[in-house]
Amino acid sequence: MKNSDNVEKNRLLLYIGMVDFAVVELNEFLDTHPQCQEALEYFNYYNQLKNNALEEYAKLYGPLTIRDACNCGNEWKWVTQPWPWEGVC
Amino acid sequence: MWSYDKRLQYPVKITHTNPKIAQIIITQFGGPDGELAASMRYLSQRYSMCDRRVAGLLTDIGTEELAHMEMICAIVYQLTKNLCMEELVASGFDKYYVDHTLALWPLAASGSPWTATYFQSKGDPITDLHEDMAAEQKARTTYDNILRLVKDPEVCDPIRFLRQREIVHYQRFGEGLRLIQDDLNSKNFYAINPEFDQNKSDCECKE
């Protein structure tokens, strides 16, 4: 993989981490505030951004979830791409 | 049911190995206030939690703790990757190495193996939520201690993220405790265990 590709891949992964952080925060907040309309709207918004980004990442580099594992080429990239603890992208 | 996301909740990229600090940080994997104990505590307590909102909180925070356990394991793994024998012996990591090589195994920094006696699942929502709030504070203190002992910015950065999560979870459990207390029958405030000796039809904290 070219270096510029790696930079782009890292950028997208970082973006997924950011929008997912909002999703996790809102998920836990909504557990104790299930009627909060503002939080519900935020949750829907960030969850959509997250799902779109996960789909885009899967198409370009391989799946981060099994849900996104179809249409990722002619091999099972789930295991041919690095695992997250390896410290490489 | 669970599903796995193939990424860390917050990035861990450590360039310099350091088996000395790995032996300290591993305590947040298998120590008394570590992430494994946290996850097992919440995921065990949730079944008998009579308020659905708080059962949801225990499920979702218990799940997030698994992601934190993975971050801690990634830190320890990267701090001990490709160690040479001299480094390994000089740091005192040889005592862990003899039993586990460079694999991850849950134990405290003191060397005690992980045990379910690190947490309680009591079946009383007030008892359990107080335990949970205390657990978040104990974990936060442990992260503060780690930040005093560790100077590598590549290690401190994810540790600071984990410390912040303890504070947020403490807040959420505090709200959970308030929800339970708001729904209690005030006449029985001190006397009853709402998860055990109240039947469904008159349980105030059911929806």
Side-chain angles (χ1 to χ4, degrees):
Chain A
M1 189 179 281
K2 287 200 308 265
N3 205 30
S4 58
D5 284 353
N6 241 333
V7 170
E8 201 41 42
K9 186 180 177 185
N10 266 319
R11 191 202 57 80
L12 187 54
L13 191 64
L14 203 62
Y15 173 79
I16 291 169
M18 280 162 58
V19 288
D20 178 61
F21 181 74
V23 170
V24 169
E25 269 289 83
L26 288 157
N27 173 178
E28 290 167 8
F29 179 84
L30 279 161
D31 288 348
T32 54
H33 305 77
Q35 265 80 40
C36 177
Q37 295 307 306
E38 203 184 344
L40 278 169
E41 275 169 36
Y42 270 120
F43 177 87
N44 293 339
Y45 176 72
Y46 283 105
N47 200 41
Q48 191 59 55
L49 292 183
K50 178 191 159 185
N51 289 338
N52 294 347
L54 281 172
E55 222 171 283
E56 190 189 338
Y57 191 98
K59 251 185 249 154
L60 292 170
Y61 312 111
L64 296 176
T65 73
I66 290 294
R67 214 193 99 190
D68 298 302
C70 46
N71 309 319
C72 289
N74 55 4
E75 66 168 11
W76 188 243
K77 285 195 181 144
W78 184 252
V79 293
T80 57
Q81 292 293 306
W83 287 97
W85 52 86
E86 292 177 35
V88 296
C89 187
Chain B
M1 242 305 266
W2 262 270
S3 52
Y4 179 69
D5 275 23
K6 198 181 162 182
R7 57 184 179 82
L8 299 178
Q9 195 189 5
Y10 187 90
V12 174
K13 277 186 188 129
I14 296 163
T15 31
H16 307 290
T17 55
N18 188 336
K20 186 95 190 151
I21 62 172
Q23 293 170 89
I24 292 165
I25 290 172
I26 204 168
T27 214
Q28 281 305 85
F29 177 27
D33 305 313
E35 302 291 353
L36 176 59
S39 184
M40 294 305 107
R41 174 183 297 110
Y42 307 145
L43 295 180
S44 300
Q45 288 177 356
R46 68 193 181 124
Y47 299 94
S48 61
M49 181 55 71
C50 66
D51 186 295
R52 282 192 185 139
R53 296 163 295 186
V54 184
L57 197 59
L58 289 167
T59 302
D60 297 328
I61 295 181
T63 301
E64 190 186 341
E65 306 295 8
L66 289 175
H68 296 172
M69 186 180 87
E70 185 184 37
M71 281 177 61
I72 290 291
C73 290
I75 293 172
V76 172
Y77 171 72
Q78 291 177 28
L79 281 171
T80 56
K81 207 160 60 175
N82 307 321
L83 279 185
C84 68
M85 272 301 154
E86 291 77 18
E87 222 179 344
L88 201 146
V89 173
S91 65
F93 194 65
D94 47 351
K95 289 174 191 67
Y96 180 92
Y97 174 87
V98 71
D99 287 330
H100 310 292
T101 325
L102 297 181
L104 267 292
W105 191 72
L107 85 177
S110 64
S112 325
W114 186 84
T115 156
T117 56
Y118 285 155
F119 72 88
Q120 180 56 286
S121 184
K122 200 69 175 174
D124 179 313
I126 294 179
T127 313
D128 282 344
L129 282 164
H130 276 104
E131 153 128 358
D132 302 343
M133 291 172 73
E136 295 294 334
Q137 288 299 338
K138 288 188 282 182
R140 198 263 311 144
T141 305
T142 309
Y143 283 124
D144 278 332
N145 293 343
I146 288 172
L147 288 167
R148 287 188 196 100
L149 293 164
V150 174
K151 293 293 160 240
D152 182 349
E154 289 178 336
V155 179
C156 291
D157 186 44
I159 293 291
R160 278 196 202 95
F161 172 85
L162 293 169
R163 179 188 175 278
Q164 295 279 8
R165 299 309 292 155
E166 308 300 338
I167 295 166
V168 172
H169 291 166
Y170 177 78
Q171 169 74 21
R172 295 283 97 82
F173 282 130
E175 291 160 0
L177 180 61
R178 179 177 48 73
L179 291 173
I180 296 283
Q181 286 176 328
D182 285 351
D183 281 352
L184 279 179
N185 179 337
S186 58
K187 279 184 281 186
N188 291 327
F189 195 93
Y190 296 104
I192 70 157
N193 174 343
E195 282 173 358
F196 175 66
D197 54 7
Q198 265 197 341
N199 65 43
K200 271 185 185 173
S201 57
D202 57 36
C203 180
E204 299 278 346
C205 60
K206 284 254 173 358
E207 307 187 67

